[in-house]
Amino acid sequence: MRYLVIGSGGREHVIYWRLLFDGSASEVFVAPGNGGIDPAHCVNINLNRHNDIIEFCKNKKIDFVVIGPEAPLADGVADTLSASGIPVFGPSAKAAKIEGSKIFAKEIMEKSKVPTASHRDFTGKKEIIEFIANCKKYPIVIKLDGLAAGKGVVVAENEEQAMEFVSESVKENSLLFVEDFLEGEEASVLGISDGETILPFISAQDHKRVFDGDKGPNTGGMGAYAPAPVAGKDVIERVGKEIHKPVIDVMKNQGIPFKGILYAGLMIGKENNVLEFNARFGDPEAQVLLPLIDGKIGDLFIASYEGKLKEGMLKFTDKHAITVVMASKGYPSDYEKGKLITGLDSVSNDILVFHAGTVRNGNSIYTNGGRVLAVTSVADSLEKARDKVYSEIDKIQFEGAHYRKDIGYRAFNRG
Ligand code: AMP
Ligand code: GLY
């Protein structure tokens, strides 16, 4: 099988690696790819021009396309490809709206009776300012509708923070809502769906803040591990029954079947409340989930496209994985690019280094983004995986590199 993976991050690098590693694929191209991917297999296609993607697939006899990020899904790349007879993994633009519109996601949750914080809708600055002026109880959570590259949510501890978010992010005609603040520990449970059946992954836990101890601004994710003990077998089973399946059923009944990865971001507790849905693999969650799959990932992608997923098809080894993101100086604010990365070849063979913001120039690799590398270890226990990754990571260096030193701390603090 010949695959094309769309995207350029760590998530796409792990998909590329996994397809080759387990024998799903004979050849994998990545558009546009990054410095970790064989340059002969990085392809420069303008992803906005769907016909160019189709033409590439025909020329290179691509059997199957996997779409990594949200933007091409929202842009309907899966729709165009399947309409042209090219099999593809990832939801239609209409189904991907469950990520792109938080209001749409709330509507689906209401219809499918999925546990989530109660909320109240607002339109524009005037209405929300009036609400904040009269609000007595903090924290409150304000969420903007629409894709906002991680800047669409604030958990405001007081009136000042709420107002700051409004003046920075809310426009006259913005659609938004305020929802109840929920306490607990977060975890994500992804499911792979063919529009009817949905099979749950083991749980994973991301670390969104830039600094140790969950301090500092939000990022795309600074590290992750799986499985997360806060969401063990019982939680996964409940998420399957109470969240994944009802959502898939409601979407199917509405004529927008969801095929692909439904990512449920959850606040684990007495109820496992949904904080958000994504329509794709998480990044860096994919870097810890994909190495733990037992079997051929390509079979799952194909079964999702063909509507042939069956119970028991998604299996995991009993190992543990952890990934630590190395980021550029300044990330998640402005950062510099073009720093030489050294030591990539000196890490132990059992460390998987997935590239994200990197670029190759000759035989050298340079930084080319905020999140640069996801340094990953798989071991018999989470502790061993953590110790391994942190004993190796400093062999890789670039000017200004920073990473969190406490990935997985919640699992270890449970005692
Ligand atoms: P979202 O993009 O909706 O997942 O929100 C981003 C982050 O804000 C989440 O990962 C949580 O840490 C936090 N958050 C979102 N909604 C809530 C809520 N209702 N209560 C507490 N924290 C929340
Ligand atoms: N790591 C969170 C996400 O991919 O949305």
Side-chain angles (χ1 to χ4, degrees):
M1 289 279 287
R2 293 159 65 79
Y3 281 81
L4 170 67
V5 176
I6 290 180
S8 65
R11 167 183 50 211
E12 288 71 36
H13 192 189
V14 70
I15 295 171
Y16 161 88
W17 167 82
R18 180 73 217 197
L19 283 165
L20 292 167
F21 169 80
D22 68 27
S24 297
S26 53
E27 194 160 21
V28 185
F29 293 90
V30 189
N34 61 39
I37 291 156
D38 168 9
H41 288 95
C42 290
V43 279
N44 209 351
I45 315 177
N46 181 343
L47 297 175
N48 296 319
R49 291 163 50 153
H50 298 189
N51 281 339
D52 291 5
I53 308 176
I54 293 170
E55 200 177 319
F56 175 84
C57 291
K58 292 200 168 142
N59 283 342
K60 291 285 182 190
K61 300 198 165 38
I62 297 297
D63 300 298
F64 201 93
V65 180
V66 181
I67 302 175
E70 212 278 334
L73 293 169
D75 192 36
V77 173
D79 306 71
T80 321
L81 290 175
S82 56
S84 323
I86 299 169
V88 56
F89 181 70
S92 66
K94 278 188 181 158
K97 216 175 144 197
I98 197 157
E99 171 167 1
S101 165
K102 287 181 183 294
I103 291 177
F104 176 72
K106 279 286 190 196
E107 284 165 12
I108 296 283
M109 285 191 258
E110 264 153 39
K111 286 188 186 127
S112 52
K113 302 197 169 47
V114 158
T116 186
S118 54
H119 75 289
R120 193 173 144 189
D121 292 332
F122 297 90
T123 305
K125 271 193 160 156
K126 192 165 163 277
E127 285 185 12
I128 186 73
I129 289 173
E130 217 170 275
F131 172 84
I132 293 168
N134 292 310
C135 179
K136 303 255 171 346
K137 199 168 141 248
Y138 284 89
I140 57 166
V141 184
I142 311 177
K143 297 190 177 184
L144 271 175
D145 198 43
L147 288 173
K151 299 214 159 60
V153 176
V154 69
V155 179
E157 302 288 341
N158 50 46
E159 182 171 337
E160 195 189 331
Q161 287 176 7
M163 290 304 291
E164 192 184 311
F165 175 79
V166 170
S167 60
E168 273 173 20
S169 305
V170 180
K171 311 251 161 22
E172 289 314 327
N173 56 356
S174 299
L175 300 176
L176 67 159
F177 58 83
V178 172
E179 73 175 21
D180 290 347
F181 174 78
L182 301 169
E183 283 185 80
E185 185 175 335
E186 285 178 53
S188 14
V189 181
L190 284 62
I192 181 167
S193 175
D194 62 2
E196 212 158 295
T197 299
I198 179 160
L199 309 175
F201 282 69
I202 49 173
S203 59
Q205 191 171 63
D206 190 9
H207 298 63
K208 288 192 170 130
R209 303 297 190 100
V210 69
F211 300 128
D212 286 10
D214 295 325
K215 301 280 188 319
N218 264 325
T219 69
M222 293 298 289
Y225 65 96
V230 68
K233 275 206 175 89
D234 295 355
V235 171
I236 301 290
E237 204 169 293
R238 277 189 67 185
V239 169
K241 279 198 197 116
E242 296 169 14
I243 298 170
H244 283 163
K245 183 66 173 139
V247 165
I248 293 300
D249 287 346
V250 162
M251 293 188 73
K252 183 181 157 221
N253 292 338
Q254 293 202 352
I256 37 173
F258 187 97
K259 288 183 170 205
I261 296 294
L262 180 68
Y263 167 131
L266 304 164
M267 193 67 91
I268 306 297
K270 223 165 97 204
E271 296 284 353
N272 301 307
N273 281 289
V274 173
L275 300 176
E276 64 166 342
F277 283 118
N278 294 324
R280 50 169 176 80
F281 283 115
D283 185 339
E285 289 91 331
Q287 288 89 313
V288 288
L289 291 172
L290 269 51
L292 296 177
I293 291 177
D294 184 7
K296 287 190 173 180
I297 198 168
D299 292 349
L300 294 161
F301 292 157
I302 295 165
S304 159
Y305 178 72
E306 294 182 344
K308 290 183 180 161
L309 281 175
K310 299 265 174 316
E311 289 300 323
M313 274 178 80
L314 175 57
K315 293 198 293 268
F316 291 89
T317 65
D318 53 10
K319 295 198 183 290
H320 299 253
I322 192 161
T323 192
V324 179
V325 169
M326 295 183 83
S328 294
K329 184 178 175 190
Y331 176 79
S333 301
D334 293 343
Y335 53 83
E336 285 177 26
K337 296 181 187 176
K339 308 290 180 198
L340 179 70
I341 306 173
T342 59
L344 286 165
D345 293 332
S346 49
V347 290
S348 141
N349 282 339
D350 52 5
I351 291 281
L352 298 162
V353 182
F354 298 116
H355 290 226
T358 71
V359 65
R360 181 182 290 268
N361 189 350
N363 286 328
S364 301
I365 306 283
Y366 295 86
T367 66
N368 193 39
R371 290 192 292 170
V372 176
L373 300 165
V375 185
T376 308
S377 169
V378 176
D380 294 337
S381 71
L382 187 62
E383 197 168 13
K384 281 188 190 155
R386 176 200 51 187
D387 292 349
K388 183 82 197 170
V389 95
Y390 283 117
S391 70
E392 293 285 325
I393 195 166
D394 287 330
K395 293 181 180 169
I396 305 173
Q397 299 207 333
F398 53 90
E399 192 191 315
H402 63 99
Y403 60 85
R404 276 182 63 162
K405 307 204 171 36
D406 65 346
I407 301 301
Y409 78 91
R410 284 196 189 82
F412 299 113
N413 286 352
R414 295 169 75 84

